[in-house]
């Protein structure tokens, strides 16, 4: 790949409405700062794009000059795939906008938008899109990976609500992908990551979600075996209106937790209920938390859905050290529970954690081949995350995560939610994540990006020969 010099940067500046940021500019260090502070990369230039014309110009520049290209939307990429050393970063962050159409119950969302933008705009109409649990997450990266969150059991994956996407392709052309237009590309975008083009806007179907019932329940970490054995049976049999992700954690020093619990290792469930929010009904729904063992703490309240989405924002701000890995699970066997108990007892830092997100319920209503997301039979999507503010602890959190994942992986389905694949994992992990969809994705890649311009991602190289007819 070629490097960028001042002459070529000058040509790029002239082609854009937005600015170009290089290492000589005052805003360079801020531009290369992303959510995961463990990632320290130095791109040659950033191109914040204010519109589709800018996106097309940046793609054409990278293609014509042979410059390494990365695409940044929200900047939450755990492995830092939105940055590339010595190359060019196409930055969508200026394209943060949401337009809600209450007549059609849809929202069009700019490619640089965050979940906070989407939640704020749709909440005004009593609506939401099932997406994520941290409001600073980018809509683009989450959606292209498949997307799951608090509302998945009720309304499906994020991609199940995607109606269309406006995309700039590697050749600079601009298309709308939908079930009627470029259906092969639309299929691939729904879980295939950033392999196929730059999505400048998404159009989503909206769902009723104004206030939700929220509960947080924690038990001492030595109760992990009893709680997980109960949870694995209870939640899949529960109505789709109830969701709850299981976590291993260190209790943070703040509300709603009482001070005596601060700093203690716990297992717990963060609940979301979208049914009747009367006090009587919430009490009835969450009475079950006493079944596995008496909780050390339980808190229940109705709250606006965007408030739930921001619950972890202050606890997990940008600039922490992160190392994560994930897998999908159909079951939680006793041997896996033993692994969770072992590593829950040995959480290395106050922010390190493990989550099991339910991806059943409404997410199982779609067909196995309806989208690139290849785990319609999964019941949980798990992530192990070593997190700490101190770079001196980077190796400790990385090793805990790797060891935990290594011991747990034999009990998984072999692949992961693609956004949870960690730094340095092999190409075989990507193939395992897409299972029987991988070859079809490679064929779509060949049709839309035959030279693999978009490869700074969990990459799917183009198939070696373009088929006469894509599936």
């Amino acid at each position: 790949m070629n490097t960028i010099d001042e002459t070529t940067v000058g040509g790029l500046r002239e082609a854009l409405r937005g600015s170009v940021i290089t290492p000589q500019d005052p805003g360079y260090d801020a531009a290369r700062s992303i959510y995961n502070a463990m990632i320290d990369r130095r791109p040659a230039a950033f191109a914040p794009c204010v519109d589709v014309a800018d996106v097309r110009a940046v793609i054409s520049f990278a293609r014509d000059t042979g410059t390494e290209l990365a695409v940044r939307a929200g900047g939450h990429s755990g492995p830092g795939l939105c940055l590339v050393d010595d190359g060019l970063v196409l930055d969508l962050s200026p394209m943060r906008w949401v337009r809600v159409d209450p007549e059609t119950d849809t929202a069009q969302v700019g490619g640089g938008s965050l979940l906070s933008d989407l939640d704020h705009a749709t909440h005004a109409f009593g609506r939401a899109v099932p997406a994520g649990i941290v409001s600073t997450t980018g809509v683009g990266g989450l959606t292209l990976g498949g997307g799951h969150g608090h509302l998945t059991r009720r309304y499906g994956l994020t991609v199940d609500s995607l109606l269309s996407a406006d995309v700039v392709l590697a050749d600079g052309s601009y298309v709308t992908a939908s079930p009627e237009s470029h259906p092969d590309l639309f299929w691939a975008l729904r879980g295939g990551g950033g392999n196929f083009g730059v999505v400048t806007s998404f159009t989503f179907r909206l769902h009723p979600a104004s206030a939700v019932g929220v509960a947080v329940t924690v038990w001492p970490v030595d109760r992990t075996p009893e709680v997980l054995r109960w949870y694995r049976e209870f939640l899949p049999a529960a109505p789709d209106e109830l969701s709850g992700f299981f976590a291993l954690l260190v209790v943070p020093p703040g509300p709603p937790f009482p001070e005596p619990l601060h700093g203690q290792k716990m297992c717990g469930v963060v609940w979301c209920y979208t049914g009747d929010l009367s006090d009587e009904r919430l009490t009835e729904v969450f009475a079950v938390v006493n079944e596995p063992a008496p909780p050390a703490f339980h808190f229940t309240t109705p709250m606006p859905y965007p408030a739930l989405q921001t619950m972890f924002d202050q606890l997990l701000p940008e600039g922490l050290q992160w190392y994560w890995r994930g897998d999908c699970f159909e079951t939680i066997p006793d041997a896996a529970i033993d692994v969770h108990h072992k590593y829950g007892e040995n959480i290395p830092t106050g922010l390190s954690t493990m989550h099991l997100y339910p991806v059943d319920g409404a997410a199982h209503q779609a067909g196995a081949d309806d989208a690139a997301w290849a785990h319609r039979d999964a019941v949980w999507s798990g992530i192990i995350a070593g997190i700490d503010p101190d770079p001196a602890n980077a190796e400790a959190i990385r090793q805990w995560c790797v060891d935990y994942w290594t011991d747990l992986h034999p009990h998984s389905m072999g692949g992961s939610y693609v956004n949870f694949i960690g730094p340095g994992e092999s190409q075989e992990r990507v193939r395992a994540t897409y299972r029987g969809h991988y070859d079809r994705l490679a064929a779509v890649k060949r049709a839309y990006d035959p030279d693999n311009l978009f490869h700074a991602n969990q990459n799917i190289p183009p198939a070696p020969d373009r088929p006469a007819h894509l599936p």
Side-chain angles (χ1 to χ4, degrees), residues 257-280:
F257 299 104
E259 188 172 352
L261 295 186
H262 294 175
Q264 292 195 31
K265 294 173 182 176
M266 295 275 175
C267 66
V269 180
V270 178
W271 305 95
C272 175
Y273 180 65
T274 55
D276 175 8
L277 299 186
S278 65
D279 290 343
E280 295 80 6

Side-chain angles (χ1 to χ4, degrees), residues 2 65 74 94 137 166 180 184 205 212 235 238 248-249 282 300 313 372 385 391 442 465-466:
N2 294 330
T65 61
T137 306
D166 294 330
E180 296 77 31
D184 53 337
R205 178 188 303 109
V212 294
L235 192 63
L248 293 166
L249 71 153
L282 289 179
T300 306
D313 287 5
D465 295 306
R466 182 169 182 166

Side-chain angles (χ1 to χ4, degrees), residues 379-400:
V379 181
W380 291 279
S381 169
I383 184 172
I384 302 162
I387 313 168
D388 195 70
D390 189 351
N393 290 327
E395 179 54 28
I397 62 176
R398 188 200 71 83
Q399 195 61 55
W400 175 79

Side-chain angles (χ1 to χ4, degrees), residues 165-398:
D166 294 330
V167 191
V168 181
L169 303 175
D171 64 2
S173 60
Y174 177 72
V175 302
T176 296
S178 71
E180 296 77 31
S181 173
H182 301 277
D184 53 337
L185 176 61
F186 184 64
W187 175 86
L189 291 173
R190 289 179 295 149
N195 278 281
F196 307 99
V198 177
V199 179
T200 58
S201 74
F202 302 84
T203 299
F204 294 103
R205 178 188 303 109
L206 302 181
H207 305 275
S210 182
V212 294
V214 174
V216 178
T217 314
V218 295
W219 297 264
V221 72
D222 61 7
R223 293 289 197 172
T224 298
E226 298 101 305
V227 174
L228 257 182
R229 283 195 291 267
W230 166 78
Y231 173 81
R232 72 183 178 186
E233 304 299 329
F234 168 75
L235 192 63
D240 293 352
E241 291 81 8
L242 180 64
S243 185
F245 72 82
F246 178 87
L248 293 166
L249 71 153
V250 177
V251 175
F257 299 104
E259 188 172 352
L261 295 186
H262 294 175
Q264 292 195 31
K265 294 173 182 176
M266 295 275 175
C267 66
V269 180
V270 178
W271 305 95
C272 175
Y273 180 65
T274 55
D276 175 8
L277 299 186
S278 65
D279 290 343
E280 295 80 6
R281 179 58 180 153
L282 289 179
T283 299
E284 179 184 1
V285 167
F286 293 116
V288 296
V289 302
N290 293 290
E291 292 182 2
F297 174 78
H298 176 72
F299 167 82
T300 306
T301 186
M303 66 172 61
Y305 176 67
L308 171 61
Q309 289 287 81
T310 60
M311 183 180 289
F312 302 107
D313 287 5
Q314 290 187 343
L315 186 66
L316 299 172
E318 180 177 322
L320 301 174
Q321 304 281 308
W322 282 77
Y323 191 95
W324 69 34
R325 290 192 179 185
D327 266 320
C328 289
F329 301 87
E330 190 174 13
T331 61
I332 306 174
D334 287 349
I337 291 175
D338 291 342
V339 175
H340 289 303
H341 187 198
K342 172 184 175 182
Y343 286 93
E345 295 271 13
N346 294 285
I347 297 174
T349 63
L351 293 175
S352 296
T353 188
M354 188 285 304
H355 293 174
L356 287 171
Y357 301 110
V359 289
D360 60 334
H364 281 189
Q365 294 175 11
D369 298 325
D370 286 356
W373 170 274
H375 283 93
R376 289 293 177 182
D377 48 347
V379 181
W380 291 279
S381 169
I383 184 172
I384 302 162
I387 313 168
D388 195 70
D390 189 351
N393 290 327
E395 179 54 28
I397 62 176
R398 188 200 71 83

Side-chain angles (χ1 to χ4, degrees), residues 400-440:
W400 175 79
C401 177
V402 171
D403 291 346
Y404 191 165
W405 180 88
T406 300
D407 286 355
L408 190 62
H409 181 66
H411 309 293
S412 75
M413 300 172 74
S416 173
Y417 172 41
V418 69
N419 290 342
F420 290 165
I421 296 179
E425 293 197 62
S426 69
Q427 186 64 29
E428 285 307 308
R429 279 284 285 157
V430 178
R431 182 180 284 273
T433 288
Y434 290 114
R435 306 167 88 190
H437 291 167
Y438 185 88
D439 289 344
R440 181 177 175 184

